[in-house]
Amino acid sequence: GPKEQASDYANYFCSYASLYHQKQMLTDHRRMQAYYSAITDNAELFAGKRVLDVGTGSGILALWAAKAGASKVYAVEFTDMANHARRLVAKNGMEGVVEVIQCSVEDLKLDAKVDIIISEWMGYFLLRESMLDSLVRARDRWLVPGGLMFPSRCTMMWGLVNDEQDRLSKQQEYIRTMQDWYSFKGETKEFYGVDMTVLEAVYEEEQRGYYILSSFWAELDKGQVLGEPAVVQTFDMHTCTLEDVQGVDETNVSIPLEEDARVSGFAGWFTADFHGTEANPCPCPVTLSTGPENGYTHWGQQVFHLQVPHDVVGGGKVEGTIAVKRQKENVRLYDVHIKHKNVLPTGEDKSPLVSVKYAMP
Amino acid sequence: GPKEQASDYANYFCSYASLYHQKQMLTDHRRMQAYYSAITDNAELFAGKRVLDVGTGSGILALWAAKAGASKVYAVEFTDMANHARRLVAKNGMEGVVEVIQCSVEDLKLDAKVDIIISEWMGYFLLRESMLDSLVRARDRWLVPGGLMFPSRCTMMWGLVNDEQDRLSKQQEYIRTMQDWYSFKGETKEFYGVDMTVLEAVYEEEQRGYYILSSFWAELDKGQVLGEPAVVQTFDMHTCTLEDVQGVDETNVSIPLEEDARVSGFAGWFTADFHGTEANPCPCPVTLSTGPENGYTHWGQQVFHLQVPHDVVGGGKVEGTIAVKRQKENVRLYDVHIKHKNVLPTGEDKSPLVSVKYAMP
Ligand SMILES: Nc1ncnc2c1ncn2[C@@H]1O[C@H](CSCC[C@H](N)C(=O)O)[C@@H](O)[C@H]1O
Ligand SMILES: Nc1ncnc2c1ncn2[C@@H]1O[C@H](CSCC[C@H](N)C(=O)O)[C@@H](O)[C@H]1O
């Protein structure tokens, strides 16, 4: 309802209204390089075309599209950042081409459809923030048949990792917070005559949720990834439906390891391709990867720590499933349900199947 | 309207729904001691009385009121913390006396008025969070004539401070963030062909707002307070109106210093008295001070740094005004407008009058 939307918008858009936050994205050079190449190196696709930039923020992508030769760029932004984008566009001499429109893209009115949609909508582990919903709606409403999406395809990746130090320090913090609780309980009884025992389980659950059953942002080193990353799901931006982008149904993932290794957790990230379509491929295809093989991006990776690490025997594997579901209370956030077991080279289980639900905060 | 209320509630109540946050309050021993003494040492006032606890959280105050002999305690809490409070009450044997009611106190329905209202509604520098509005509404609707408020009176305090190190480090951070901007601007022009100059003033304003024109939480040492703290405003909880609690109109504050001193800023905090009324005074009056003279409370003090410190000459003073106004975008937050000058012992101005508006985040 409108009340839910109001509080969603208040929470979600708040950070994007600050230039500080926009600058964090604008100084993410892998992100910038990928979009810049995708647009400028494929300028011939933009020449004379009508373009829509969904969530223009500072206006950067719209400006590049205009410089690449677009005849018209509609740059849509919900927050007051739209005013800054408008001024940036003017000062960079593209007032005649880029039209900044401040509204939710869901409320956009154009006189005709567009040939290309550009957008940087991706969140942690691709889906977080659920801005993809807005993109799909904009595409279904405003892209001509056969039009192009930039990016054209996005893939959720999954890897085994060893970051045992971080895993242990999170466990330590959890233990410390529970020790605090025990002193608190003692003091409250002694000084204030109230027995807090009945709330202990709730507190423990809350803290476990925070330290143990949540994923964490990390900038992993490529040496921390064990074996080959697996594809969880691929979204074709030209065809994916609102239903497709709700999340990921339970999907099998099995990652074999050639050598003995301690697996302390999983990591999720994404790649974004700028390839055009089969009918209209990009002359210079570009891929943006936010994986550990590639150095810093502001997305980093989401790490899901195991409660007990798997000591995998060389030739064995970690096998299981992953599902990614929207949280009921906040559709922009996700839970990641992981089932996993340690399998020996013989095919026998080295561990029972463990099933854990993590929140991605 | 209902949309504004929905997003206000979503933002405001979120943290209070976590036991972690409630525990932070429950381990604030000055806070706990003050309320505990105010209720238990004045048990005779509670004996056989009907009590309302506005915002019961974990239920702690309601429990104490019951133990002090109240015949009935209505413990009202908006968040799901109400469930925990209910269980805590039961396990501590007060089910028959304390009734936990989950609702906004604005929507409360009782069969009759109450004799006493207890509440811990105070925010940073007293007014932050604006929960006092809810208390005043509850009092006007549910307190019997001549009934008692716990606390009975709250006072906003104001002091001169020297925390030059912190002031300088905030200024350094501001300088660093602007240096970052200049490199960013250079790189964006060089690598991506976009001139960001037009956004520089906006970025500077945003960062100045954050580092320079905001107050900060601090736990000041009593030695850092210069001269005698001044009273900004006193609220009598029995009589203050919704209009009174909107903020503080421009109020004169003049603080003389006996010795030469460098004033690097101002600090705001509050005291809360549990004194009852003239007709019905507390046998054991209690005062809670959150000032630097008293050691840690979770409220600490709000510090407002000067851009240029005042070197006050012994026998001189810092003179000016303070006004506290609600922010338009979020009525639970406040701006603090300070005018100040350095005055010599002769009465001549040592500095011009400076006028600055700080946000209290
Ligand atoms: N439904 C919607 N309608 C309009 N703008 C939206 C939107 N959902 C998200 N946004 C905006 O989309 C932007 C995503 S961040 C990307 C900003 C910019 N395109 C860049 O690449 O640097 C944010 O500024 C956010 O406010
Ligand atoms: N309008 C309102 N109606 C009901 N509860 C409210 C309220 N405004 C704030 N609250 C609740 O008031 C509490 C204030 S914090 C104090 C908690 C508790 N009385 C203690 O002293 O430890 C929070 O739990 C908050 O959720």
Side-chain angles (χ1 to χ4, degrees), chain A residues 99-139:
Chain A
E99 184 177 332
V100 177
I101 305 170
Q102 184 169 9
C103 69
S104 164
V105 75
E106 281 80 356
D107 298 331
L108 182 65
K109 299 269 173 295
L110 295 178
D111 51 9
K113 295 197 172 190
V114 298
D115 305 300
I116 302 180
I117 291 180
I118 54 180
S119 180
E120 200 280 76
W121 53 269
M122 297 88 79
Y124 295 155
F125 200 19
L126 193 64
L127 295 182
R128 190 173 178 281
E129 299 180 34
S130 301
M131 188 181 155
L132 181 48
D133 292 20
S134 300
L135 183 76
V136 169
R137 284 190 212 107
R139 182 202 65 198

Side-chain angles (χ1 to χ4, degrees), chain A residues 7 11 18-20 26-27 29 32 64 67 84 87-88 92 184 187 192-193 195 198-199 202 206-207, chain B residues 11 18-20 26-27 29 32 64 67 84 87-88 92 184 187 192-193 195 198-199 202 206-207:
Chain A
S7 59
N11 285 308
S18 91
L19 207 47
Y20 182 82
L26 295 168
T27 49
H29 286 295
M32 291 289 275
W64 290 339
K67 291 193 177 182
H84 304 327
R87 291 168 57 234
L88 193 73
N92 282 270
F184 160 69
E187 282 167 16
Y192 310 115
D195 181 354
V198 69
L199 299 186
V202 182
E206 211 179 81
Q207 296 301 305
Chain B
N11 286 307
S18 91
L19 207 48
Y20 181 82
L26 295 168
T27 49
H29 286 295
M32 292 288 276
W64 289 339
K67 292 193 177 184
H84 305 327
R87 291 168 56 234
L88 192 74
N92 282 269
F184 159 70
E187 283 167 15
Y192 310 115
D195 182 355
V198 69
L199 299 186
V202 182
E206 209 179 82
Q207 296 301 304

Side-chain angles (χ1 to χ4, degrees), chain B residues 100-114:
Chain B
V100 177
I101 305 171
Q102 184 169 7
C103 69
S104 164
V105 75
E106 280 81 356
D107 298 331
L108 180 66
K109 299 268 172 296
L110 295 178
D111 51 8
K113 295 197 172 191
V114 299

Side-chain angles (χ1 to χ4, degrees), chain B residues 9 12-17 21-22 25-26 31-32 35 53-62 64 76-79 81 101-107 118-122 129 131 134-135 137 332:
Chain B
Y9 274 32
Y12 176 62
F13 284 112
C14 182
S15 68
Y16 285 119
H21 186 68
Q22 296 284 344
M25 299 185 288
L26 295 168
R31 186 192 88 104
M32 292 288 276
Y35 274 89
D53 179 6
V54 175
T56 201
S58 63
I60 189 85
L61 307 184
W64 289 339
V76 177
E77 171 61 35
F78 180 78
T79 71
M81 199 46 57
I101 305 171
Q102 184 169 7
C103 69
S104 164
V105 75
E106 280 81 356
D107 298 331
I118 54 179
S119 181
E120 199 281 77
W121 53 268
M122 297 88 80
E129 299 181 34
M131 188 181 155
S134 300
L135 183 77
R137 284 190 211 105
R332 296 199 185 264

